[in-house]
Amino acid sequence: MIPRIDVRNAVARKNFTGELEFAFEAEQDLIDIPYVEFSSPVTAALRYEIFADDKAEVTGKLSFSLKGLCSRCLAEAEKEIVCGAEGTFAPVPKDEEYGYSNGFIDLREFLRDSVMFALPPRLLCGTCAEEESE
Ligand SMILES: [Zn+2]
C-alpha cells in the first residue's frame, strides 16, 4: 500500500518532517526489456519535509528486483536495483514539481517516475555483465 502524506494534519501538529516505509507492487508495464519482470515488490524508505509555503520535499531510497532472460544470451538473470528518489510537491506546481490538492500528497506518480527512471535499458546475466565490463 502506498500511504498518502496528510499535510494539513502534519502542519497542525507541527510535525514538519516524517518518515515513511512501505512496499508496493509496481506495474509490470513500466518495464521495456523483453522477457523481464519485477520479481519483488518495490520497497520504499522515504523522508519528507514540509515547508512554510506548503511545499514538501520527499527524498529517499527505493529497492526492487528484476528477473527474466538475459538481454544478450537469454540465460536466466536477476538483478537487485537500489535507487534514490527525490521530488518536490506543491499545491500549485511549477516546472518539475508534483501537484497535490486537498492537503494530501499522493505519492503514486512520483514513485512510478522514480522506478521508471531507475530501470536499466536491459538485463544482463552474470557472465554477460562480466564480459561487457572487461
Ligand atoms: Zn547473458
Side-chain angles (χ1 to χ4, degrees), residues 70 72-75 124-125 128:
C70 173
R72 265 183 79 188
C73 73
L74 297 182
L124 294 179
C125 70
C128 289

Side-chain angles (χ1 to χ4, degrees), residues 71-84:
S71 305
R72 265 183 79 188
C73 73
L74 297 182
E76 297 216 350
E78 189 161 12
K79 186 178 170 71
E80 202 193 321
I81 293 175
V82 179
C83 66

Side-chain angles (χ1 to χ4, degrees), residues 33 36 66-71 77-79 122-125:
I33 319 167
V36 173
L66 297 178
K67 193 175 165 183
L69 301 183
C70 173
S71 305
E78 189 161 12
K79 186 178 170 71
R122 55 200 184 138
L123 181 67
L124 294 179
C125 70

Side-chain angles (χ1 to χ4, degrees), residues 40-120:
S40 77
V42 180
T43 306
L46 304 177
R47 184 182 176 282
Y48 63 84
E49 181 164 2
I50 301 163
F51 300 101
D53 59 0
D54 279 340
K55 282 192 188 184
E57 190 180 71
V58 179
T59 55
K61 209 173 74 175
L62 304 177
S63 50
F64 57 91
S65 302
L66 297 178
K67 193 175 165 183
L69 301 183
C70 173
S71 305
R72 265 183 79 188
C73 73
L74 297 182
E76 297 216 350
E78 189 161 12
K79 186 178 170 71
E80 202 193 321
I81 293 175
V82 179
C83 66
E86 192 177 335
T88 304
F89 295 77
V92 184
K94 274 189 284 186
D95 305 325
E96 308 258 289
E97 293 172 344
Y98 293 92
Y100 74 89
S101 52
N102 300 321
F104 283 101
I105 292 178
D106 182 335
L107 294 166
R108 278 177 298 186
E109 192 189 348
F110 162 69
L111 292 169
R112 194 189 148 91
D113 288 350
S114 302
V115 168
M116 220 157 49
F117 194 69
L119 285 170

